[in-house]
Amino acid sequence: MPHFDAIIIGSGFGGLYALHHLRDMLGLSVRVFDSAGGVGGTWWYNRYPGARVDAPSTPFYAYTFSRELVEGWDWPETQASQGTVLAYLEYVADQLDLRKDIQFNTRITDARYDEAAQGWTVETHSGETASAQFLICATGALFVANRPAIPGIDDFTGKICHTGRWPHEPVSFEGKSVAVIGTGSSGMQAIPEIAKTAKHLTVFQRTPQFALPARNRPLPKAELDAFRANWEDHRGSMIHRGGSPFPTTKLRARDATAEERQARYEQMWAEGGMQLLINSYRGVLTKEALNEEVSEFVRGKIRETVKDPETARKLLPDYFIGTKRMILDNGYFETYNRPNVSLVDLREDPIETFTQTGIRTRKGDHPVDMLVLATGFDAVSGSMLAINPKGRGGVSLKEKWADRFETYLGTAIADFPNLFMVHGPGSPGVFFTMPLGGECTVNWIGRCISHLRSTRLGAIEATPEAETLWDEEIQGIAAGTLYPRTNSWYLGANIPGKPRQFLGHLNGSSYFKRLTEVADAGFEGFMTEPVR
Ligand code: NA7
């Protein structure tokens, strides 16, 4: 059985950087396993039409650790497409010569901690095994596709595609009656593209969602070069400002009149991206009355855009804006003005069953040739539970996380020594710019490994007390906001039976400061063992 210093699961943003850092900066022997056929992680799988980074991204949704990589890649648009991000990650893999240490098309089906050996043994779907002292799970926050158990779905004879597992061969909607279930980021991105060629598109909506205009545009070279010239400053600002390089507003809504506030919302709307949410006034995600005013402003935009008042009514969201993932829109609401698009509100007209040739709702039959499931993911915890590692005493992660996703710092788990997660439950994950968050987390994991090696320690593991305090801290931060008042995948609410618990640290900047403090204090909250 081959043995390595570290095994990494996943070759998306987090895994690729972990391979580079541990192999090239720390000199460890490393093997990466990935079930995909190439690098890219979520960007390898999510290749549905219209897929883009769901934040005003470039040049910030990218690695920041290497000036050569920053200089060497020209981002063509402000909101990068899936194809561009995937090409970028392939470029990074080439530049850093990463592929030679990645075993693709290899799914890890089991991972067991060996207490005597102070290390992990993994098993692949084909029965191969490999061992390592450290197991780094860069398995992705949005990996395990949520396929709802809708009655009769297996009887449906048409093609079914999940946005999170999109086929690699071209998918044509030409002349077809297409159904889309789900109107989160993936659905909202795919729907305008599918509508362009489908004979008819029926959208089945459970929860109407807010979206802000993406205002995607070509990124002029001069603008990109200006960012590059100040790259280190931008990186520092991003770490200290919650993942964005730009300061957020200090304006208070109470200092403005109602007319002034509306004018400011219009200005932020015109600027696009997340501006309305983060830069109109302070506290949109914490103050109920302010949030309701901003929410109503956006509802007004939906009413203005969608010509049929009945369709517009069904599309009006009724939760606090921003408390489900904020979606950036590239023509979603306008799509409902097309004659070939119709909307079914599942709250008024629920699905009763699939038939062989369509979907039967309470009010009638909808003929369907092809079904697109844009129904999201078992987010954050799902990819770890799919591997279901067995820690000390053979206890499985499924047992450990049966009622609560307990972690320390979102990266370590009590009873699972020498295992580290990138973007695990309790980390900033999707609430921070993920490539940079991944870099900072991996750097910390590298520091931890170096600490063990230099002090001749064989194993490190979070204490249960540290986990309990961490959970309290995460939930406390979330409780100070409006997030917990909305059913969302941030709380596991999209998966039937999933424990309800806020899954992310909402203040990435203080989190990364905290990681440094924990390390500076000799890895506070951890227990260690000498090399056996
Ligand atoms: P999301 O954001 O979880 O959206 C999934 C959508 O599917 C959402 O509208 C759900 O409605 C809907 N859904 C889920 N299950 C069902 C069932 N059983 N019936 C009807 N509708 C259902 O996933 P995305 O892939 O769009 O985006 C995930 C993240 O990827 C995104 O936030 C970005 O960070 C990138 P619900 O709102 O739960 O009522």
Side-chain angles (χ1 to χ4, degrees), residues 54 142 148 181-186 206-207 324-325 374-377 489:
D54 68 344
L142 299 161
I181 300 182
T183 54
S185 295
S186 306
R206 184 164 73 180
T207 307
K324 278 164 109 68
R325 178 83 179 185
T375 43
F377 303 90
W489 59 258

Side-chain angles (χ1 to χ4, degrees), residues 33 179 450:
F33 293 97
S450 300

Side-chain angles (χ1 to χ4, degrees), residues 42-43 46 48 52-54 142 146-150 162-164 181-189 204-209 319 324-327 346-347 351 373-379 430 434 487-490 493-496:
T42 199
W43 298 107
N46 283 264
Y48 58 85
R52 287 182 182 276
V53 179
D54 68 344
L142 299 161
N146 171 35
R147 295 176 191 275
I150 301 173
H162 193 291
T163 46
I181 300 182
T183 54
S185 295
S186 306
M188 274 207 193
Q189 290 180 343
F204 293 82
Q205 169 195 269
R206 184 164 73 180
T207 307
Q209 296 232 36
Y319 60 92
K324 278 164 109 68
R325 178 83 179 185
M326 197 67 248
I327 300 171
L346 296 177
R347 292 170 171 185
I351 294 175
L373 288 173
T375 43
F377 303 90
D378 182 356
V430 295
M434 291 191 86
N487 283 326
S488 72
W489 59 258
Y490 296 156
N494 62 328
I495 302 293

